[in-house]
Every structure is written in C-alpha cells, then in structure tokens.
Amino acid sequence: MLIELKNIIKDYDNSGVVTHVLHGVDLSVEEGEFIAIMGPSGSGKSTLMHTIGFLDRPTSGEYYFDGIDTKDFNDDELAQIRNERIGFVFQSFNLLPRTSVLDNVMLPLLYSNSKKNHEHRAKVALEAVGLGERLHFLSNQISGGQKQRVAIARALVCDPKVVFADEPTGNLDSKSGSTVMYILEKLNKEGRTIILVTHDINVALHAKRIVTIRDGEIVSDKKVKEEDRIHSKESHD
C-alpha cells in the first residue's frame, strides 16, 4: 500500500480558537491508482491533500507512506520526501515570473540529491507534456494552459511516486483543461499514482475512484465505472 491513513484528525489552533477540520479520516491508496477527492468549499479536501502530501502534519492518527510510519519523520526527512517522491500541481501554477520555462522545471532538482543532468531531465519532462519547443520562453510569455503543463513537468522532474493535483483545471478554459487532464491520464497509464482534488464532477470523472469528503469526514468512496469515465483526447493550445 502506497498511502494508508488511520483515524487522521487535523485541528487548527488560532490564538486559542480551535477549528476541527478532519475528523478521523481513514483512507488507503494503492500504487498506480488515479483517485479524485471531491467536496464543497470548506469540506476539508485541501487539508486532506496537504496532510497526505506532507505539507502539513496531522494532529493525531497514523499515516503510513510506502509502508513506513511517518510520525517520527523530522522536517528535513519530510522535505526530502516532498522533493523526491511527491510532485505537486496547483491551480495557481506557482511558477517564477520572468524566469524561463526550463529554469522553472529545473528548480526542484536544485534541492534534490541528484547533482547531474538537471537540464536534460527538465527537457525530458517538458517534452513529455508537449512543451519541448518552449524551453526558453519566459513563464509570463506563455498561456495559462501552457503554464499548467510547465507545472506538471516540474512535478515530474524528480520522478515522484505520486502526483498531487489541486484543482489543476480551475484557472483554465475547457480546451486547456482537457489537455491537462489528458496528460494526467497518460501519466497514470504509465504507472504514476495521481491524487486529484476538485469540486467539479466532470473533472473527477477522469479518475478511476472518487472519494467524497464533507465536514471533515469521508462520506463516500466509490470506483468509477468505465462507462461513466470521461477520457480526454490529446490537444495542445
């Protein structure tokens, strides 16, 4: 099992005011799955993703990543896992402005244990998302859809076990969104684990399993029937 959560609780304490966000969440994800986490605003879906992705620590509960209990990991160990075994794609792209596409994708490699072939690895990642001819464009010279594809390439450059995508189509038009979902589907077919957070059922139906969270609790966990799945066709903006 790649990811296993047991009775995960997450509270936030703001000057003595405690907000309970996750209430005893149990979740298992096998390597190679493509799951969508759905829920309305404030349901806890982003907090759940941040917890699974080691961006935040749970208040209590057990979290096993690749069979290892993560409770005793220090901050440096968590940072290394985030860098080398997890890739993140966010709605807002989070690219460095006035910096080349190539340099944006190489950035995670600067913090990894790998010291060689940074440029080659970044080029391969960009070619995988159809941007091999945009290497030296600045990030503010490309479209929104292309920015998200750069963000996916950056997430892939360290060859992670799992890619988290938080509302990856939220700022895109329908054509660019379809391209992004096609790329995520392709990565999953190649064996990559994809965890997608979305409020849009039409985006969620690209996944093979939909987990629904409401008021900090998982209320549904269902496989998507093949006839109900939405498949994206390749198109490049």
Side-chain angles (χ1 to χ4, degrees):
M1 191 67 65
L2 180 60
I3 290 168
E4 189 170 10
L5 307 181
K6 296 181 179 181
N7 195 31
I8 292 294
I9 292 172
K10 180 60 183 177
D11 300 331
Y12 290 102
D13 188 337
N14 185 10
S15 300
V17 179
V18 178
T19 302
H20 306 288
V21 182
L22 299 179
H23 309 287
V25 170
D26 296 316
L27 180 67
S28 297
V29 181
E30 294 184 5
E31 189 165 354
E33 281 201 89
F34 185 172
I35 79 167
I37 299 174
M38 287 199 70
S41 178
S43 62
K45 62 183 184 296
S46 290
T47 298
L48 178 58
M49 189 201 78
H50 289 173
T51 301
I52 300 173
F54 301 107
L55 294 173
D56 209 347
R57 291 180 183 265
T59 302
S60 64
E62 300 174 53
Y63 177 12
Y64 296 87
F65 184 83
D66 215 5
I68 300 173
D69 190 342
T70 65
K71 71 177 186 302
D72 294 325
F73 285 3
N74 60 37
D75 289 343
D76 289 340
E77 289 170 326
L78 292 178
Q80 185 175 358
I81 290 174
R82 286 196 302 269
N83 179 257
E84 298 180 356
R85 306 182 74 183
I86 291 174
F88 293 98
V89 181
F90 297 102
Q91 178 177 349
S92 56
F93 318 133
N94 292 349
L95 301 182
L96 296 177
R98 297 180 298 281
T99 303
S100 74
V101 164
L102 185 63
D103 285 341
N104 267 284
V105 174
M106 284 196 294
L107 188 61
L109 293 170
L110 300 178
Y111 302 95
S112 73
N113 289 327
S114 170
K115 303 302 179 186
K116 296 181 179 180
N117 302 321
H118 288 187
E119 185 170 319
H120 173 72
R121 291 175 64 177
K123 286 180 179 178
V124 170
L126 283 163
E127 288 168 0
V129 299
L131 289 176
E133 297 181 355
R134 294 289 190 272
L135 303 179
H136 302 295
F137 280 60
L138 301 183
S139 62
N140 58 355
Q141 293 177 325
I142 58 177
S143 69
Q146 290 170 338
K147 287 177 181 177
Q148 194 60 292
R149 283 152 59 192
V150 172
I152 293 173
R154 183 183 57 193
L156 294 176
V157 75
C158 290
D159 193 25
K161 272 186 169 287
V162 55
V163 173
F164 291 90
D166 190 359
E167 301 282 6
T169 64
N171 285 336
L172 305 179
D173 58 58
S174 58
K175 180 182 177 183
S176 298
S178 292
T179 300
V180 165
M181 294 312 302
Y182 166 81
I183 293 170
L184 293 177
E185 288 175 7
K186 182 172 180 287
L187 292 171
N188 180 244
K189 288 177 181 176
E190 294 170 352
R192 197 87 58 174
T193 305
I194 307 293
I195 298 179
L196 169 74
V197 172
T198 183
H199 68 279
D200 187 340
I201 185 61
N202 291 318
V203 173
L205 284 172
H206 289 274
K208 297 177 181 176
R209 175 181 163 202
I210 297 177
V211 174
T212 303
I213 186 169
R214 186 175 296 116
D215 297 328
E217 298 179 346
I218 291 177
V219 296
S220 175
D221 186 344
K222 297 180 179 179
K223 290 185 177 181
V224 179
K225 296 179 180 179
E226 188 60 30
E227 59 266 28
D228 294 332
R229 288 193 70 217
I230 297 174
H231 297 278
S232 288
K233 295 181 179 180
E234 183 173 10
S235 60
H236 296 315
D237 60 348

